[in-house]
Amino acid sequence: MHESHIGRNLEQGIATLRREDPELFDLLEQEHLRQGETLSLVASSGGTDASVMAVVGSSIVNVTAEGYPGRRYHAGCHYVDRAEELAIARAKKVFGARYVNVQPHCASFANHTVMQAVLKPGDTILGMALDQGGHLTHGSPVNLSGRLFDVHAYGLDEKGLIDYGELRALALEHRPRLIVCGTTSYTRVIDFERIRAVADEVGAYVLADVTHIAGLIAAGLHPSPIDAAHFTTTCTFKQLYGPRGGLIMMGRDADRLGDDDSRTLSQRIRSAVFPMMQGSPEVHTIAAKARAMDRLLQPGFGELAQRIRDNADALAASLARRGYDVIGGGTDNHIVLFRVPPHLNGVVAERALESCHILVNKNKIPGDTRGATVASGVRLGSNTVALRHMGPEQMERCVELIDTVLTHVRTLPEGDAQVPDDVRAQVVAAIRDLCRDFPLPYATATETL
Ligand SMILES: *Cc1c(COP(=O)(O)O)cnc(C)c1O
């Protein structure tokens, strides 16, 4: 199997790690097993193929390559240049983009970079409020974006839908230079065209941070923001199942001139990534992005994306059948948000489920009277169960197990959760069976070792 130089290197690396650093080796081994045997319904989880991990672990990591392909500050960049060009070409194809920058270290950096490319400190921006589903980097006071800019925030209406009327009213009142959209917990379709129309009315740029729904967009299961927004950002892990990293993409506005000098918007992004925000790119991650993009271009990805959707619908329907209040009545993407029963709160539900090897996260729901660290809702996502080839039938089983845990959990003082031992043992065993029947593509059943 390892009749290759990089393969031999990986194998020797693992052998050395095991011999010289058993403590760290054991942590990694345990983490690998944990992923295999727990059920991740965390909406931001994904999962990389072993080939993506192999690229991240290859010797390409040793190349320092400040700059861009063909214009590096160092010699010896022939192969990393080609890997970066491959990542760009494939990402353009996946998203139908005219310009892609594959160097951002993560989605947060991608967002900061867009802001640095087109804004000056003190400029006004409009972003979705964090507690309504926005992201920290969309102008939260605890984030650099909130410190540098004059932020106004829009949110959801009483039905839990993006309040486009409020967004427009705030835009007309405050005249932002940038409108940020894209969310972390919204279950409905985002109308990028409508946001662009508001931006055009007030002379603002639009940044669509589609980190959560990038896979559905790539598969054509959610409208694309590439041409509607001036800038589209995403991470490459969550729903793209690639390495940790970010992308900045542009469509029809890529070659448009920015308003205060002669450079195009894509040229401004290019120099904002490097040298303004970042130093040498993570070339191993860029190569892994190329690998992940190739996987997105295969027919199998369309099927995976459809499973993401089908499973999310099945989760929502089966929760509703059991009497749970599903926020918004269902979902258009991979996220399902539901209100926890009255005897619980979000954090107790999260802890109880984790003790039974079901991973979810607590989340605020519209009109929530509890803070974000307690919350009244739970957010589920179907990316990882879809990767395991689970289908609607297994979602029914998952909800049955979730319901069993939430019905039996008792809240202890300090907000700890206690699930009776017999119930816990029964659910843990059921989850283990389910996970073994539907293994992650990279972590098959332990007994095969
Ligand atoms: C997860 C997320 C991010 C942060 O991504 P990183 O790559 O971890 O920085 C940014 N925006 C949104 C909408 C997200 O959901």
Side-chain angles (χ1 to χ4, degrees), residues 65 67-72 79-104 226 234 236 240 246-250 254 266 269-270 273 281-283 285-294 296-297:
Y68 288 98
R71 298 192 62 176
R72 304 285 189 187
Y79 297 108
V80 298
D81 277 8
R82 294 188 52 192
E84 183 163 342
E85 282 160 0
L86 208 51
I88 292 167
R90 290 176 179 174
K92 280 182 176 171
K93 203 161 163 195
V94 168
F95 290 97
R98 209 182 283 186
Y99 171 84
V100 179
N101 194 305
V102 295
Q103 294 197 2
I226 295 288
T234 180
T236 47
L240 299 182
L247 300 177
I248 302 175
M249 301 181 281
M250 301 184 68
S266 59
I269 290 296
R270 187 179 154 98
V273 173
E282 298 189 350
V283 288
T285 308
I286 290 171
K289 287 173 187 173
R291 175 70 197 121
M293 292 302 142
D294 184 53
L296 297 177
L297 289 167

Side-chain angles (χ1 to χ4, degrees), residues 391-410:
E393 202 183 310
Q394 286 73 43
M395 296 306 98
E396 178 70 37
R397 178 79 174 127
C398 291
V399 169
E400 186 190 327
L401 294 167
I402 288 171
D403 185 44
T404 302
V405 175
L406 297 188
T407 307
H408 289 90
V409 62
R410 285 194 309 128

Side-chain angles (χ1 to χ4, degrees), residues 142-161:
V142 301
N143 185 267
L144 183 64
S145 55
R147 290 183 59 162
L148 285 182
F149 306 111
D150 173 29
V151 182
H152 297 273
Y154 61 94
L156 305 173
D157 64 18
E158 67 287 353
K159 290 202 216 95
L161 300 175

